[in-house]
């Protein structure tokens, strides 16, 4: 009889530590319950996404390239780009960027300051091109953000701060670049700390629900901190194997004492 209770106790503890698929699979819509009935190779649903283009902020690092038919001697825009010792261009490096000042401006000789804060990368290109066209012939302007970064912490396979050249990253892509989530990550309660001017805004997202695709928080923003908490099963799963012998011995001792006291 004692052995039966011991086996039942261990079985209950083991089952309580299991993590079901509904806590692991991203963007669910009850499809897990209808796998056999779900048609293949066809569109089941569509979602209207709230795409948010990144807008340049103060202290962003921009790489701005100019191409025109104007000779280099008269192209003061390109000359304003940082260069390494000996005249070697740093255009492929973060050092080649122009820092947006605290008021949201970049500055060039002759034309002075240009407001770029609050603009998307493409709007900034058009704005700078319009000004540069007054001085350069058939000019083409390309703007790229060099310091789009975010941090992922918690139950991920690689905690890190990631710098991406893509300013339209979804939360899924951002986590994927950090190695993905561990099996014991709570995908339904992911915390995000987002900087907005002089404020830090806190919100939570649920990666398990398919409707999250339509959320305005589906895309990562500059300097986001993504914190993934563990499931409640984590402490048990993590330490169960090493403590199984201790648990078994404790249960056996309790049953032995109970057995003696009933005699």
């Amino acid at each position: 009889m004692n052995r039966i209770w011991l086996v039942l106790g261990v079985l209950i503890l083991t089952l309580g530590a299991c993590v079901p698929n509904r806590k692991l699979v991203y963007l669910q819509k009850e499809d897990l319950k209808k796998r056999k009935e779900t048609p293949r190779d066809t569109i089941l649903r569509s979602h209207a996404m709230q795409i948010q283009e990144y807008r340049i902020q103060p202290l962003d690092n921009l790489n701005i390239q100019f191409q025109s038919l104007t000779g280099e001697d008269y192209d003061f825009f390109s000359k304003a780009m940082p260069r390494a010792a000996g005249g070697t261009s740093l255009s492929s490096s973060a050092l080649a960027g122009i820092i947006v000042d605290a008021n949201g401006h970049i500055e060039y000789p002759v034309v002075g300051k240009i407001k770029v804060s609050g603009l998307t990368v493409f709007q900034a290109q058009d704005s700078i091109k319009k000004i540069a066209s007054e001085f350069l012939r058939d000019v083409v302007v390309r703007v790229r953000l060099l310091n789009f970064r975010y941090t992922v912490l918690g139950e991920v396979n690689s905690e890190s701060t990631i710098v991406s050249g893509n300013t339209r990253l979804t939360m899924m892509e951002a986590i994927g670049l950090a190695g993905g989530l561990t099996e014991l990550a709570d995908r339904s309660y992911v915390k995000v700390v987002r900087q907005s001017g002089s404020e830090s805004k806190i919100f939570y997202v649920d990666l398990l629900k398919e409707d999250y695709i339509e959320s305005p928080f589906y895309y990562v923003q500059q300097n986001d901190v993504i914190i993934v908490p563990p499931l409640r099963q984590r402490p048990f799963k993590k330490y169960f194997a090493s403590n199984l012998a201790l648990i078994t011995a404790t249960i056996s001792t309790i049953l032995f004492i109970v057995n003696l006291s009933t005699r």
Side-chain angles (χ1 to χ4, degrees), residues 173-186:
E173 292 172 319
I175 291 174
L177 289 173
L181 301 182
T182 68
E183 182 181 351
L184 298 176
D186 189 346

Side-chain angles (χ1 to χ4, degrees), residues 51-62:
I51 298 176
Q52 298 180 357
E53 294 287 348
Y54 178 76
R55 295 187 178 275
I56 298 170
Q57 304 176 25
L59 304 183
D60 274 352
N61 191 6
L62 304 179

Side-chain angles (χ1 to χ4, degrees), residues 59-72:
L59 304 183
D60 274 352
N61 191 6
L62 304 179
N63 179 274
I64 305 175
Q65 300 285 334
F66 296 88
Q67 294 179 334
S68 73
L69 298 179
T70 301
E72 292 183 4

Side-chain angles (χ1 to χ4, degrees), residues 51-207:
I51 298 176
Q52 298 180 357
E53 294 287 348
Y54 178 76
R55 295 187 178 275
I56 298 170
Q57 304 176 25
L59 304 183
D60 274 352
N61 191 6
L62 304 179
N63 179 274
I64 305 175
Q65 300 285 334
F66 296 88
Q67 294 179 334
S68 73
L69 298 179
T70 301
E72 292 183 4
D73 292 341
Y74 301 96
D75 185 357
F76 58 83
F77 286 97
S78 295
K79 289 182 178 180
M81 292 299 295
R83 292 180 177 271
T88 303
S89 175
L90 296 176
S91 59
S92 62
S93 166
L95 295 177
I98 295 179
I99 303 297
V100 182
D101 68 22
N103 296 317
H105 296 88
I106 57 175
E107 188 171 9
Y108 283 101
V110 182
V111 299
K113 294 185 176 182
I114 302 174
K115 179 76 171 182
V116 294
S117 179
L119 303 179
T120 67
V121 169
F122 297 107
Q123 289 173 339
Q125 283 183 175
D126 293 338
S127 179
I128 296 171
K129 179 180 179 180
K130 183 177 181 181
I131 296 173
S133 296
E134 300 178 11
F135 303 90
L136 304 178
R137 187 156 55 98
D138 295 329
V139 63
V140 175
V141 179
R142 295 184 176 89
V143 178
R144 183 180 180 184
L145 181 68
L146 295 178
N147 66 321
F148 185 85
R149 66 182 183 274
Y150 61 93
T151 301
V152 186
L153 303 172
E155 286 295 319
V156 292
N157 289 310
S158 178
E159 290 186 322
S160 55
T161 296
I162 298 171
V163 179
S164 173
N166 181 10
T167 59
R168 191 190 288 181
L169 274 178
T170 68
M171 191 68 66
M172 308 297 181
E173 292 172 319
I175 291 174
L177 289 173
L181 301 182
T182 68
E183 182 181 351
L184 298 176
D186 189 346
R187 293 158 173 79
S188 68
Y189 201 61
V190 177
K191 182 178 183 178
V192 181
V193 181
R194 176 164 296 174
Q195 294 185 19
S196 178
S198 59
E199 295 181 335
S200 289
K201 298 181 179 180
I202 311 295
F203 58 89
Y204 288 85
V205 298
D206 186 348
L207 305 183

